[in-house]
Amino acid sequence: FLQQSWLQDATGGTPGLILHVAALLREAQIPPYISAYEIQDRLGELLERQYLSQLPASARRALEILSLLPEIGIRGSVGKEMEAVCRALDLSPEVLESELPSLESSGLVRRRARFIEVVPPRLADHLASNALSRPDNLLAALKLALEPGPFLRFLERFRNLPNDEVKATISKLFRPTGWFPGLDSLIKNVRMMEMLAPAAPIPALRCLESILMPLSEEELKIRVVGDARRSLVWVLEDLALRSATFEGAAKLLLVLAGAENETFGINTRGV
């Protein structure tokens, strides 16, 4: 039971949360067919009641903002990350920073050199989901405000949130009017594709099919190269592991294999 992947996903691998879910199942307080996302949401609510019931509103707001990234820079050159997130959510960085000592002493945030992270991770996921009442707007604001590295960290958290609006927002990003309308934008934003595709595999596959299938073998050899090509292969490998997207992903891997332009062993012919 403890090795079930859905349980690991729902609890983040935290032993106490795994045992809590096991107790709920044993006592029939949750059905055995409940989804990992539903369990994740239930656990978030539990952690919120347990740890945040006595916090003032200003401290809760600070935690929600800090939760948007798995870790957020607060000092030195990476301190701009906290400032950018605060600006996007209309909160003064000074106000957020004033809450840090009490949050650290309560054990709700942990400092790692120049970075801060909210713990436990499932509480951070829950708080980030609460902060994203309008995910489309916040996503656009943070894409403008953050550098590529921290924005990818935000997407890492964003894609895993148990929030239906978030899932719908991610699916829309794969439409022709979204982030990947053509090959140039796909190559430019390929790391974002790599980050988001697991959260919306079918829309991601349709997007990739619409872009890559019309290209000739020669175009693929010339235009899909280097790191961008390798990232696309990794995306397709992941999609090929899912029953709903296996066939389409496998066909695209064959297309890339036919237009192979790598000269070393790790290439599409070795998938």
Side-chain angles (χ1 to χ4, degrees), residues 14 22 24 55 87 95 106 122 138 176 197 207 214 232 235 237 261 269:
T14 304
L24 291 176
L55 280 185
R87 285 197 305 272
V95 171
S106 67
R122 279 298 166 260
L138 183 59
C207 174
L232 288 175
V235 170
E237 284 180 327
N261 55 22
R269 290 176 182 166

Side-chain angles (χ1 to χ4, degrees), residues 36-57:
Y37 278 130
E38 290 176 281
I39 292 180
Q40 188 176 336
D41 197 42
R42 290 275 293 269
L43 292 175
E45 292 172 355
L46 168 72
L47 292 168
E48 183 177 12
R49 289 194 304 270
Q50 184 76 24
Y51 295 114
L52 307 188
S53 58
Q54 303 301 316
L55 280 185

Side-chain angles (χ1 to χ4, degrees), residues 160-225:
N160 292 321
L161 297 180
N163 183 314
D164 291 338
E165 289 186 58
V166 167
K167 301 304 177 189
T169 297
I170 292 175
S171 293
K172 286 191 287 187
L173 297 178
F174 294 113
R175 293 177 182 175
T177 55
W179 286 0
F180 315 98
L183 182 61
D184 290 339
S185 57
L186 174 61
I187 290 173
K188 179 181 177 181
N189 298 317
V190 70
R191 290 285 287 115
M192 297 181 195
M193 167 65 76
E194 194 177 342
M195 195 65 66
L196 294 173
I202 293 176
L205 178 62
R206 289 173 180 159
C207 174
L208 291 171
E209 287 173 335
S210 69
I211 294 172
L212 298 177
M213 280 301 194
L215 299 177
S216 68
E217 181 177 316
E218 192 62 27
E219 285 178 301
L220 287 169
K221 284 183 177 179
I222 294 172
R223 300 181 64 188
V224 183
V225 298

